[in-house]
Amino acid sequence: MTDFEQYRHELRVHCYRLLGSYDEAEDMVQETFLRAWRGRDTFRGQSSLRTWLYRIATNLCIDDVRRPRRVLTYQLEPASFPAAALPARDDLPWLQPYPDVLLDRAEEPDAQLVRRETIELAFLIAIQHLPPRQRAVLIFRDVLGWSAKETAAVMDLTAAAVNSALQRARPVLKTHLPPHRADWAATPSTAGEQALLRRYVDAWEAGDPDALTALMYEDVRITMPPYPFWFEGREVARHTIVANLDPAYRGQWRYLPTSVNRQPTLAAYLREPGDTAFRPFGLDVFRVENGLIAELTAFQLTDFTAHNLPPYLASA
């Protein structure tokens, strides 16, 4: 029973897919190991240790989904948001980014499982619309590639019930995925996406909102978890961006290109007036389609430790 640790990374990704929250996934893995240790005398070896841990983790996550979610709250600054902000369409204020530095573990047995299309934010948001058991079945069957028999054993269902749940889950998932997203065909961040990020940073540093919005689709969507609203369209995006381009408003910005959830990302650092360094402010995660920004998810985050990013940037 000392071999739990070798499964930490894949269990954390599994719980994250089920919950959409990195912090909650960490908690569920810790609780899984605790319960497994306490119940170690009941493990008879009728399944593999890995399967047993997945059963515990999945049941914990299903129970967690059924409870009121823990939601972070922040002080709103009304002046910084346009009146065109819309009520939340996918109200997932607990949604958190997953550090790619924890996905890029080629030496781990689960590394081949963490494909971009199964960890990107669009997938995570879409799968949250499924009831928890359907969600788990779809992850086991279509993401992890487990058989109906293996899935049934983990979830205490019949193989027929597993297949039925999967048939109900697939069309719901497809309905909530972005309309232009190729089914199960996403690829790692491309050189073109990285070039787009560089143009975005150049336009930001030049203080040019028109150049920034020219990199976006006409119906670009901007979300800012945990705020319960979203913006749509270039003009609204321009209005949202303009205030932040003025150093007198919040301060000066710097960006470092990175990636989270296998998506191109900019780590935003802010130097507030009177400060001597640029401090972590958030992660801007981009969904890019055909060379333009289709969606931007801006996470407010002041600790970049888990993402292996500098704790601050020195002023030039």
Side-chain angles (χ1 to χ4, degrees), residues 54-278:
Y54 265 95
R55 178 185 291 116
I56 297 171
T58 301
N59 286 330
L60 282 170
C61 288
I62 288 174
D63 289 343
D64 189 71
V65 169
R66 290 170 174 165
R67 289 193 291 266
R69 307 302 297 274
R70 299 192 302 273
V71 178
L72 298 174
T73 58
Y74 297 95
Q75 181 67 38
L76 288 175
E77 299 178 49
S80 64
F81 300 113
L86 301 169
R89 183 168 61 189
D90 296 307
D91 191 7
L92 303 175
W94 60 84
L95 184 68
Q96 294 177 324
Y98 197 102
D100 272 18
V101 293
L102 297 180
L103 297 175
D104 297 328
R105 305 180 65 91
E107 76 279 8
E108 297 293 338
D110 64 299
Q112 72 275 13
L113 301 177
V114 190
R115 304 187 308 273
R116 178 174 175 177
E117 67 270 24
T118 70
I119 200 71
E120 65 182 3
L121 295 176
F123 175 82
L124 290 171
I125 292 171
I127 202 172
Q128 302 301 308
H129 290 276
L130 297 175
R133 287 197 177 277
Q134 286 186 29
R135 194 183 311 177
V137 165
L138 186 137
I139 289 172
F140 279 122
R141 296 286 283 115
D142 283 357
V143 176
L144 298 178
W146 290 26
S147 68
K149 182 178 180 181
E150 291 170 319
T151 303
V154 168
M155 299 193 63
D156 295 323
L157 299 171
T158 64
V162 165
N163 289 330
S164 176
L166 183 63
Q167 290 174 0
R168 294 195 303 273
R170 281 173 172 166
V172 175
L173 177 71
K174 188 172 183 178
T175 297
H176 289 283
L177 286 171
H180 305 299
R181 182 184 187 273
D183 288 346
W184 307 101
T187 58
S189 184
T190 65
E193 289 175 342
Q194 294 305 311
L196 179 65
L197 289 193
R198 288 194 294 272
R199 293 198 300 275
Y200 185 93
V201 172
D202 289 344
W204 192 282
E205 291 178 347
D208 189 343
D210 293 329
L212 283 166
T213 54
L215 301 175
M216 303 175 181
Y217 274 98
E218 185 66 38
D219 61 350
V220 64
R221 186 182 184 216
I222 300 176
T223 57
M224 302 177 180
Y227 300 134
F229 49 75
W230 52 286
F231 310 118
E232 186 172 278
R234 281 180 180 166
E235 287 306 310
V236 178
R238 188 183 190 283
H239 184 89
T240 305
I241 288 169
V242 165
N244 287 286
L245 293 176
D246 182 0
Y249 172 57
R250 271 185 173 161
Q252 292 184 312
W253 298 89
R254 278 191 186 169
Y255 293 93
L256 288 183
T258 184
S259 64
V260 301
N261 295 77
R262 301 291 195 214
Q263 294 178 249
T265 301
L266 290 175
Y269 290 79
L270 175 65
R271 187 181 69 180
E272 296 180 343
D275 201 350
T276 59
F278 292 82

